[in-house]
């Protein structure tokens, strides 16, 4: 039976759907701790420069490939050039690696939501609360299963539209709440130093690592280099302005990441400056409770905050799972139910080590990292740059930038054409190769960056 490809009703629908996938834990949980860890202002600056050049070119390219072919990643690469079909597969591997550990963090968010809803938020203020919780065996596993099951149920029932509708209302509320919490934090003694740390670039803190971390974050946050945007592009109508959609998605995504950093980084200075040194995946869970604790109605604000974050996370994990499920349906000809179950099972197998890596299995190290950090590293710092590299070479030298430009110009004039061509043909490939080589050498301890 011929299946009709559904499409987004217009530009707003497209931008909101892509933003729903882009805005998630990457913005609220990951961005602030990376900014705190990698020198504050300098990280922010590098990130913004990359987003405007690199991110812009790659996002435009992926959406255009999707719209041009009207196919999902594997089919799209196959249709453009058979030899490049593997890039589609490689890209599809990324969400399968991210989904499990994303759900572990999603589980932590759900746990915090439950604690704040029951009015017990004060307990989370203690310095050992998070590490005791994340380091235990059964409880985090339970929250991880619950979060993953929630994601899988939505994907299985195909009710993401409902979730997306809710999240369209929740997202603006999240922005307002984040802004309110930032202003509150900024009024605390010591916070101004944090603000300065966050917005003033300190060039002496710059290193290859800053760029590496910023680039990995860019891919992750904007859902680039994993085929998701190709799929979204395939649903985009030809008359929708592609470039201005890309700019809006970028603005949205970067804006929310910036705000989340504004909420968390100055709060680190005000509430617990020792955390700056060891900023890592636990930062949000350790700092925000201190902020909420110092507020009146802290439980209510905390509960609202974690509920909104949960929705933002769900729209992202749904798009992660949906991508892998559709690849299974296409590739193995399994029906939706079987595909969902298979992806669910693999996600459990890969997610359990990430959950246990903070406690029971904390001694197991892969390239010096615990499981969660390892999966994060492999997807963001290795596979995604490889996919981005091959995609730029493919567009720059195989199908040529012209084919993308033509697609973009179906709807409107492509004003940043020159930037696009320079990025795709020269800057992106050279840059990614350098970054990739240094990151891999670094991971093996051959070259310290
Ligand atoms: N971009 C999402 C975030 O920032 C994560 C994500 C990655 C979602 C890849 C879908 C695909 O949280």
């Amino acid at each position: 039976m011929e299946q009709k490809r559904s499409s987004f009703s217009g530009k707003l629908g497209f931008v909101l759907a892509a933003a729903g996938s882009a805005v998630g834990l990457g913005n609220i949980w990951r961005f602030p701790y990376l900014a705190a860890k990698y020198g504050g202002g300098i990280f922010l600056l590098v990130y913004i420069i990359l987003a405007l050049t690199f991110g812009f070119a790659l996002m435009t390219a992926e959406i255009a490939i999707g719209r041009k072919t009207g196919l999902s990643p594997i089919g799209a690469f196959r249709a453009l050039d058979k030899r490049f079909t593997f890039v589609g597969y490689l890209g599809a591997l990324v969400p399968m690696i991210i989904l499990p550990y994303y759900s572990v963090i999603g589980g932590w968010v759900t746990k915090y939501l439950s604690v704040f809803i029951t009015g017990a938020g004060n307990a989370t203020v203690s310095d050992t609360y998070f590490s005791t919780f994340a380091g235990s065996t059964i409880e985090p596993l339970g929250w991880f299963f619950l979060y993953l099951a929630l994601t899988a149920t939505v994907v299985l029932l195909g009710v993401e539209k409902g979730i997306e509708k809710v999240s369209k209302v929740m997202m603006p509320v999240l922005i307002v709440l984040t802004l309110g919490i930032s202003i509150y934090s900024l009024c605390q003694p010591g916070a101004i130093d944090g603000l300065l740390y966050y917005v003033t670039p300190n060039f002496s803190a710059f290193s290859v690592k800053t760029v590496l971390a910023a680039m990995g974050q860019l891919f992750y946050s904007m859902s680039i280099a994993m085929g998701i945007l190709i799929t979204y592009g395939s649903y985009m109508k030809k008359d929708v302005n592609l470039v201005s959609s890309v700019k809006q998605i970028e603005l949205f995504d970067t804006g929310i990441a910036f705000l989340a950093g504004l909420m968390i980084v100055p709060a680190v200075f005000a509430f617990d400056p020792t955390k700056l040194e060891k900023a890592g995946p636990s930062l949000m869970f350790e700092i925000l409770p201190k902020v909420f604790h110092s507020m009146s109605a802290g439980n209510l604000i905390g509960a609202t905050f974690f509920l909104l974050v949960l929705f933002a996370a769900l729209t992202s994990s749904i798009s992660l799972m949906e991508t892998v499920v559709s690849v299974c349906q296409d590739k193995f000809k399994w029906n939706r139910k079987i595909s969902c179950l298979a992806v669910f099972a693999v996600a459990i197998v890969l997610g359990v080590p990430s959950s246990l890596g903070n406690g029971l299995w904390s001694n197991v190290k892969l390239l010096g990292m615990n499981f969660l950090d390892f999966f994060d590293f492999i997807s963001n710092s290795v596979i995604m740059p490889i996919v981005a590299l091959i995609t730029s070479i493919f567009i720059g030298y195989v199908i040529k930038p012209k084919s993308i430009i033509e697609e973009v110009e179906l709807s409107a004039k492509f004003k940043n054409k020159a930037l696009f061509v320079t990025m795709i043909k020269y800057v992106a490939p050279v840059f990614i190769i350098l970054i990739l080589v240094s990151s891999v050498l670094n991971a093996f301890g051959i070259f310290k960056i």
Side-chain angles (χ1 to χ4, degrees):
M1 190 181 71
E2 173 103 357
Q3 273 190 354
K4 199 173 168 304
R5 225 173 162 71
S6 56
S7 61
F8 294 113
S9 47
K11 182 168 169 218
L12 189 66
F14 176 77
V15 170
L16 287 177
S21 160
V23 177
L25 294 174
N27 308 62
I28 301 156
W29 153 77
R30 202 172 186 274
F31 184 86
Y33 88 72
L34 291 179
K37 187 168 168 183
Y38 292 104
I42 189 70
F43 179 83
L44 188 63
L45 180 69
V46 172
Y47 184 83
I48 292 177
I49 294 176
L50 288 181
L52 293 177
T53 50
F54 218 66
F56 169 76
L58 282 168
M59 193 182 249
T60 307
E62 288 197 19
I63 298 178
I65 289 184
R67 192 172 77 172
K68 188 180 173 72
T69 56
L71 296 167
S72 55
I74 297 169
F77 276 102
R78 184 184 298 127
L80 292 171
D81 188 322
K82 257 211 168 76
R83 293 168 300 169
F84 282 80
T85 315
F86 73 96
V87 190
Y89 285 110
L90 205 56
L93 194 64
V94 176
M96 191 62 253
I97 300 176
I98 296 183
L99 177 68
Y101 81 82
Y102 201 89
S103 303
V104 171
I105 320 278
W108 297 349
V109 171
T110 321
K111 151 82 181 177
Y112 271 59
L113 170 63
S114 81
V115 174
F116 277 87
I117 278 189
T118 52
N122 284 349
T124 60
V125 175
S126 121
D127 267 339
T128 50
Y129 185 87
F130 179 78
S131 51
T132 312
F133 158 67
S136 58
T137 303
I138 301 298
E139 213 200 330
L141 276 181
W143 292 108
F144 155 61
F145 288 146
L146 180 71
Y147 181 90
L148 188 63
L150 211 60
T151 304
T153 311
V154 175
V155 174
L156 184 63
L157 300 178
V159 289
E160 39 276 63
K161 288 282 162 305
I163 295 278
E164 268 156 29
K165 274 212 187 89
V166 179
S167 125
K168 264 165 225 167
V169 181
M170 303 278 245
M171 206 65 96
V173 186
L174 177 67
I175 298 176
V176 173
L177 190 67
T178 308
L179 199 58
I181 300 172
S182 323
I183 295 171
Y184 174 86
S185 313
L186 285 172
C187 295
Q188 306 305 308
I192 295 302
D193 289 339
L195 176 68
L196 290 177
Y197 175 77
Y198 184 49
V199 296
T200 4
N202 165 10
F203 289 92
S204 64
F206 179 84
S207 74
V208 181
K209 265 197 165 148
T210 323
V211 187
L212 179 63
M215 193 174 73
Q217 173 62 15
L218 184 79
F219 292 144
Y220 188 92
S221 185
M222 294 191 179
S223 313
I224 315 182
M226 56 188 99
I228 289 193
L229 291 170
I230 299 186
T231 312
Y232 276 63
S234 72
Y235 300 130
M236 188 191 217
K237 288 200 176 137
K238 297 277 186 195
D239 58 354
V240 170
N241 190 329
L242 204 150
V243 171
S244 84
S245 307
V246 169
K247 288 185 180 159
Q248 281 174 11
I249 300 166
E250 286 205 301
L251 188 69
F252 216 61
D253 192 65
T254 311
I256 296 189
F258 175 76
L259 273 184
L262 199 61
M263 167 176 75
I264 293 178
V265 180
V268 174
F269 280 71
F271 291 92
D272 191 356
T274 60
K275 292 264 182 298
L276 191 67
E277 286 292 294
K278 3 180 214 357
S282 59
L283 191 66
M284 174 176 107
F285 299 94
E286 291 176 338
I287 283 298
L288 288 182
K290 296 192 200 299
V291 179
F292 297 140
H293 180 64
S294 73
M295 294 173 161
S296 46
N299 266 314
L300 180 68
I301 298 180
T304 316
F305 176 80
F306 284 110
L307 179 69
L308 298 168
V309 174
L310 179 65
F311 269 93
L314 273 174
T315 51
S316 298
S317 53
I318 290 165
S319 81
L320 285 166
M321 187 160 183
E322 184 70 55
T323 310
V324 192
V325 166
S326 65
V327 170
C328 292
Q329 284 178 289
D330 288 355
K331 178 70 197 157
F332 306 116
K333 304 277 173 272
W334 295 340
N335 65 28
R336 201 171 169 78
K337 205 160 153 191
I338 303 282
S339 307
C340 277
L341 280 175
V343 175
F344 183 73
V346 176
I348 294 276
V349 172
L350 293 178
V352 167
S354 294
S355 182
L356 295 180
N358 290 294
L360 198 60
W361 289 359
S362 58
N363 289 332
V364 188
K365 298 271 188 242
L366 303 163
L367 300 176
M369 293 172 249
N370 67 21
F371 282 103
L372 197 153
D373 290 342
F374 175 75
F375 285 127
D376 190 80
F377 171 78
I378 285 293
S379 48
N380 297 294
S381 304
V382 182
I383 308 183
M384 287 197 227
I386 293 178
V387 173
L389 172 67
I390 307 176
T391 308
S392 8
I393 294 175
F394 178 62
I395 295 170
Y397 302 94
V398 181
I399 60 167
K400 304 275 158 48
K402 208 170 111 247
S403 56
I404 298 293
I405 294 171
E406 277 167 11
E407 179 62 37
V408 170
E409 295 204 319
L410 286 181
S411 45
K413 201 163 158 33
F414 193 173
K415 288 203 210 82
N416 314 74
K417 222 184 305 194
L419 171 74
F420 175 78
V421 177
T422 321
M423 276 290 140
I424 286 287
K425 278 188 92 152
Y426 311 108
V427 185
V430 174
F431 190 78
I432 301 175
I433 291 178
L434 289 178
I435 291 287
L436 202 58
V437 170
S438 58
S439 91
V440 172
L441 291 183
N442 181 63
F444 285 102
I446 299 171
F447 162 69
K448 275 276 156 266
I449 47 176

